[in-house]
Amino acid sequence: MSAVNHFTHGPLTPLLAYVMSCIGSMLGLRLTAQAHASRGASRIRWLIGAAISIGGTGIWVMHFIGMMGFEVEGTQIKYDVPLTVASAVVAIVVVGTGLFLVSYGGGRLLALLGGGLLTGLGVASMHYLGMYAMNMSAHVSYDRKVVAASVAIAVIAATVALWFTMRVKRPVWIAGAALVMGVAVSGMHYTGMYAMLVTVDAEPSVVPGADALDFLVPLMTVISLITLTMLLMVILSPSEEELHEDAELVARLELRRRASQQPQPYPAPIPLHPRPVQQQPAQRQPVQQQHSRQQPAQQRPVQPQPTRPQPVFGAPVPEPQPILGAPTSPHQQGFPENSPRSKPRRR
């Protein structure tokens, strides 16, 4: 067994690795919050950015910053370039898959557990693939119990991280969740490193691959710059509350515009004359009087009117005929003798 030192540069490498893990996790949580407030292609872009932030910066960059402090006495350490790049791709893809499962799964428990399991296994695979990418003149073996513990830590950390992406919205809570995720990722990394057992070869040989300073530092710098660019985009973009306020304002303006386009009804004219007094209903008349009013006019008996004969011009006036039983003398008629009516008419 050879002496393995995980902290060659003292606390600098673990502290810097933890800081990068927190930055990547915080940016990823912020991007997922933007994704939940967006729809369509914009939501997919935010989720891809979150996968790059958490998987690329929060996990992969943290892993290889920690590896910068790793040293084995008696052998040189170099890195296989294709396997190292593949480990970065694996980290981004598995984190992105978990984010898409949870985001489009509606926050259901089954989607959360499935996404956490898949993401945790992927993160553990990335870790051990990155360790397998190390070339040295030595034989490397692993303690299975410690490896199982590191995988369990990775699955739990991934599930908690995905739960944070669905529940944490405010900046203060996002920062706190990022600190927890940084602890989980760093703990998983150093647990896996502790599981490695190294036996240096008796006869050292030429170690193939790229040196850490020539390969890892430029690659980590590029990923860190991408992370900082996305962080600047998130800072300049509106938050979820601002997006809701903008949507409400647009809806109010649209309602006001529609109301202004509709024709306004004219007000009803004010009556100049007072309202007429309602007449009281007529009282019911006796049944007999009602029947007499309802009787038609042609059924009533018509009294014949006496007609006077019209005199004919030039005709002699007939003498009045005495009525039978009527008095003929003035005395009989009740007039006195010296009355002018009693004198005989001259002819």
Side-chain angles (χ1 to χ4, degrees):
M1 296 293 293
S2 299
V4 177
N5 187 3
H6 297 282
F7 308 101
T8 304
H9 304 288
L12 177 62
T13 50
L15 182 60
L16 183 60
Y18 174 73
V19 170
M20 291 302 296
S21 179
C22 291
I23 291 176
S25 301
M26 182 173 60
L27 177 59
L29 293 175
R30 186 70 179 84
L31 289 171
T32 52
Q34 288 291 123
H36 296 156
S38 305
R39 295 292 181 271
S42 178
R43 185 177 189 180
I44 296 176
R45 289 194 296 267
W46 289 120
L47 288 176
I48 292 175
I52 295 174
S53 300
I54 297 176
T57 303
I59 297 175
W60 188 86
V61 171
M62 178 270 156
H63 171 81
F64 280 98
I65 288 177
M67 294 298 293
M68 296 294 291
F70 179 75
E71 187 180 53
V72 178
E73 293 181 1
T75 182
Q76 188 181 10
I77 300 175
K78 290 187 179 181
Y79 293 90
D80 188 340
V81 175
L83 288 178
T84 305
V85 174
S87 65
V89 174
V90 169
I92 294 173
V93 170
V94 295
V95 171
T97 304
L99 289 175
F100 273 87
L101 283 176
V102 173
S103 179
Y104 286 94
R108 293 190 296 269
L109 180 61
L110 182 62
L112 177 62
L113 295 178
L117 179 61
L118 178 63
T119 305
L121 293 177
V123 170
S125 301
M126 181 279 308
H127 174 78
Y128 288 103
L129 182 62
M131 293 175 67
Y132 183 75
M134 292 188 303
N135 295 327
M136 63 184 74
S137 180
H139 176 71
V140 179
S141 61
Y142 295 92
D143 187 346
R144 295 182 179 180
K145 294 182 179 178
V146 181
V147 170
S150 66
V151 173
I153 293 174
V155 172
I156 295 173
T159 305
V160 173
L162 293 177
W163 184 85
F164 281 150
T165 61
M166 294 298 298
R167 296 293 184 269
V168 177
K169 305 297 181 182
R170 297 182 179 180
V172 176
W173 292 105
I174 288 177
L179 295 176
V180 175
M181 291 172 64
V183 171
V185 174
S186 299
M188 180 265 166
H189 169 77
Y190 284 104
T191 302
M193 293 295 293
Y194 182 75
M196 185 170 61
L197 305 175
V198 181
T199 303
V200 180
D201 296 336
E203 297 181 0
S205 59
V206 179
V207 179
D211 190 70
L213 294 177
D214 297 335
F215 168 62
L216 288 178
V217 172
L219 186 59
M220 289 187 295
T221 302
V222 171
I223 295 178
S224 300
L225 289 177
I226 294 175
T227 302
L228 292 176
T229 302
M230 289 188 295
L231 179 61
L232 182 62
M233 292 172 57
V234 171
I235 292 174
L236 296 178
S237 62
S239 62
E240 185 177 1
E241 295 179 358
E242 293 174 349
L243 290 175
H244 284 302
E245 292 177 359
D246 293 341
E248 292 178 357
L249 179 60
V250 170
R252 292 177 183 175
L253 293 176
E254 182 66 19
L255 290 176
R256 185 176 298 178
R257 185 185 64 83
R258 292 181 180 179
S260 62
Q261 291 180 354
Q262 293 180 355
Q264 299 293 334
Y266 291 100
I270 301 176
L272 299 178
H273 300 285
R275 182 179 297 179
V277 181
Q278 296 182 357
Q279 297 180 358
Q280 297 294 333
Q283 299 180 357
R284 296 186 60 182
Q285 298 179 357
V287 180
Q288 191 174 12
Q289 186 177 359
Q290 289 182 0
H291 284 297
S292 63
R293 289 189 177 183
Q294 293 179 0
Q295 185 178 2
Q298 61 272 16
Q299 294 182 4
R300 297 179 182 178
V302 180
Q303 299 292 335
Q305 299 292 334
T307 56
R308 297 179 61 184
Q310 298 294 332
V312 181
F313 183 74
V317 179
E319 293 291 337
Q321 298 294 329
I323 300 174
L324 185 61
T328 56
S329 63
H331 295 280
Q332 292 177 351
Q333 294 181 0
F335 294 101
E337 294 182 1
N338 55 356
S339 172
R341 291 180 180 252
S342 60
K343 293 181 180 180
R345 185 178 299 176
R346 293 181 182 182
R347 297 203 179 178

